[in-house]
Amino acid sequence: MRTPRHRMPAESFLAVARGGGGSTTIDRLLAARHSRNLLSLRAVVDLAVRQRHPDAAPALHAWQQLGVLRAAHPAAARRILLYPTVGVWLADTFAALRSTDPARARPAALAQIAAAVAMAAGASVRVEFPTRSSMPGRLALPALGHVLLPPATSAIRLEVAAGAVTVDDGPTDGTSWSSLPRLHAGGGLDVRLDQLWSLVDPALAGPVSRAETTALHTSLAAAWRVLTTNHRRHARALAAAITMIMPVPARSPTTDDTDGLVSGTHPDGAGCVALSAGGDPPSVAAALVHELQHSKLAALADLFPLVRSGHDLRLHAPWRPDPRPLPALVQGLYAHAGVLGFWYRQWHREPHSPGVLHAQVEFGRLRSACRRTAEALLATDGLTVHGRLLVTEIRRAVAHWQRVPVPRTALAIARRAGERPGPGGRPPESRTGDPVPVSP
């Protein structure tokens, strides 16, 4: 297996460093993540075979089938291999195979990936893999839906043909299949509602409820109108990069966090945003932009290491009460700096709206936090050449925003908010600036 050699022009790297990067740059980042996932797949299969893992034979067979499907249907294969649940499964499986308890790994889940590619392409494939005593009544096919399983047997046989799936030669009346909910919006947004860990742990492959779907659709539709009206560049980038929303519970509102909105990302699940329903539309829109930045930087780090390996220095982060390791601090700086422009435009595009004070406060709070964090990072020796270039460009962009006058009332509120840990007093897990490892 060969993957392409990836190059990023200097102007593309600088565009990403400044918080932007158009569709061509996002395509480059996605291509790099696609190659990473392919190489990781091969590594998982090779490791399972070398260890004589119980799933080695079905994993190897599924890998061979996937190779045939990729050659015949490259677009469908790329779509499935880039789906966030595949990246998270790969990282977890590789770590489990190298741990002291490799038996917990499920390399045979590669058969589910091959079946998903065949189904997406309208091709035919038959896969078989052993069951586990703890397996629930359904299995996930990434980006598509869930297969409903018959009572436990020693093995599961899935057959995909003409865009449909059957289990153990079962009925073809649709009772064995449940599609993922999809949310659409004008301007190209098309996402699935799914559980990020559904390939890692079949017990988490249950469907998203109708109530969750309705609530998230309401929140996303209103936020998407804000983005397509006032922030079209961000809307285009989100439409290109985000393919999945993982519903998570909202927090109980507090004095400082009136909406309880929660969002997060996972570095191996680029393209997924964990999001709670609720929240005012501008705040939900800002959360989407924030999480997009995390996904972009995670993909950029596939190409360019940003922090020197083995560096264990921790520094204070204005948005967290605890000192952060350098990789998390770089991620937080990048994501927070990425929404500075959002709040500036929101403030000036809707100068008479009820939320204008909130936009001014967020702008004032974030530019101060980002300036301090960029300076602290650049004072260390923990950044690589590319990491230093990235943080330098962020500092330069923040310096531009420092020249923007902010009303005194908003600045006073921003300063008080900056004295408290967490973003504006929100709980640390809510838009903290780190990729939130949304785990089972």
Side-chain angles (χ1 to χ4, degrees):
M1 178 196 67
R2 291 184 179 181
T3 59
R5 187 181 296 271
H6 297 279
R7 294 181 175 88
M8 176 172 281
E11 60 270 21
S12 295
F13 182 95
L14 291 174
V16 175
R18 294 164 186 155
S23 58
T24 300
T25 299
I26 288 177
D27 285 344
R28 291 181 189 276
L29 295 175
L30 291 175
R33 179 55 62 103
H34 178 243
S35 291
R36 178 190 125 155
N37 284 358
L38 275 174
L39 292 170
S40 298
L41 277 171
R42 182 56 190 262
V44 161
V45 173
D46 287 349
L47 193 54
V49 170
R50 286 203 306 271
Q51 292 185 350
R52 298 183 180 179
H53 191 279
D55 286 2
L60 180 59
H61 182 57
W63 170 251
Q64 294 165 343
Q65 291 175 307
L66 181 60
V68 174
L69 289 164
R70 282 184 58 232
H73 309 283
R78 183 178 187 274
R79 174 191 158 202
I80 300 302
L81 290 175
L82 279 173
Y83 193 65
T85 62
V86 174
V88 168
W89 169 78
L90 279 167
D92 184 87
T93 302
F94 190 70
L97 287 171
R98 299 182 67 188
S99 73
T100 57
D101 184 22
R104 74 175 180 84
R106 293 187 59 249
L110 179 51
Q112 295 164 240
I113 298 171
V117 172
M119 193 168 183
S124 298
V125 73
R126 185 179 180 91
V127 295
E128 181 173 335
F129 51 96
T131 60
R132 304 280 179 92
S133 59
S134 59
M135 271 190 170
R138 62 181 67 236
L139 285 177
L141 296 195
L144 301 176
H146 305 106
V147 179
L148 307 183
L149 300 177
T153 59
S154 60
I156 296 171
R157 289 171 293 277
L158 302 181
E159 183 163 357
V160 177
V165 61
T166 57
V167 185
D168 291 338
D169 302 316
T172 58
D173 58 2
T175 58
S176 62
W177 177 251
S178 173
S179 296
L180 292 176
R182 293 174 66 179
L183 299 183
H184 305 267
L189 184 69
D190 182 7
V191 296
R192 275 74 176 166
L193 299 186
D194 201 357
Q195 159 57 245
L196 189 58
W197 293 78
S198 58
L199 273 179
V200 174
D201 184 356
L204 298 175
V208 176
S209 71
R210 181 169 296 184
E212 286 178 310
T213 301
T214 300
L216 276 170
H217 181 270
T218 301
S219 293
L220 280 172
W224 195 248
R225 283 193 292 272
V226 171
L227 288 163
T228 54
T229 301
N230 297 336
H231 313 276
R232 293 179 183 175
R233 177 174 65 86
H234 289 311
R236 288 192 297 269
L238 282 159
I242 303 302
T243 57
M244 173 184 155
I245 299 290
M246 175 179 163
V248 293
R251 295 190 180 279
S252 299
T254 66
T255 303
D256 300 312
D257 181 20
T258 57
D259 56 21
L261 179 64
V262 173
S263 68
T265 54
H266 190 291
D268 296 308
C272 170
V273 173
L275 187 69
S276 66
D280 63 274
S283 292
V284 177
L288 290 171
V289 173
H290 182 110
E291 306 306 343
L292 169 68
Q293 299 302 93
H294 279 313
S295 283
K296 283 164 53 182
L297 196 62
L300 186 72
D302 290 343
L303 294 171
F304 306 103
L306 303 174
V307 175
R308 291 169 53 191
S309 61
H311 212 288
D312 59 358
L313 179 66
R314 289 174 174 260
L315 297 174
H316 169 71
W319 41 82
R320 287 284 293 241
D322 52 330
R324 307 303 295 148
L326 293 193
L329 198 59
V330 172
Q331 272 278 0
L333 171 62
Y334 185 73
H336 278 116
V339 294
L340 262 174
F342 171 92
W343 287 118
Y344 176 82
R345 283 185 290 274
Q346 191 64 22
W347 160 18
H348 287 84
R349 294 286 177 87
E350 299 185 12
H352 306 296
S353 72
V356 67
L357 178 60
H358 177 63
Q360 293 167 346
V361 169
E362 288 295 283
F363 177 81
R365 179 181 66 84
L366 289 174
R367 74 175 182 180
S368 175
C370 290
R371 176 184 56 79
R372 300 197 309 272
T373 303
E375 290 173 352
L377 281 166
L378 290 172
T380 74
D381 63 352
L383 301 176
T384 64
V385 171
H386 290 99
R388 183 163 290 274
L389 177 58
L390 177 96
V391 176
T392 299
E393 289 300 314
I394 295 173
R395 183 177 64 176
R396 183 175 289 121
V398 172
H400 164 75
W401 294 123
Q402 289 292 141
R403 296 192 289 270
V404 174
V406 177
R408 291 182 180 179
T409 300
L411 274 182
I413 298 172
R415 290 193 185 102
R416 289 197 298 272
E419 294 168 359
R420 298 189 299 270
R426 295 183 180 91
E429 296 83 0
S430 175
R431 283 172 278 157
T432 61
D434 302 340
V436 177
V438 184
S439 56

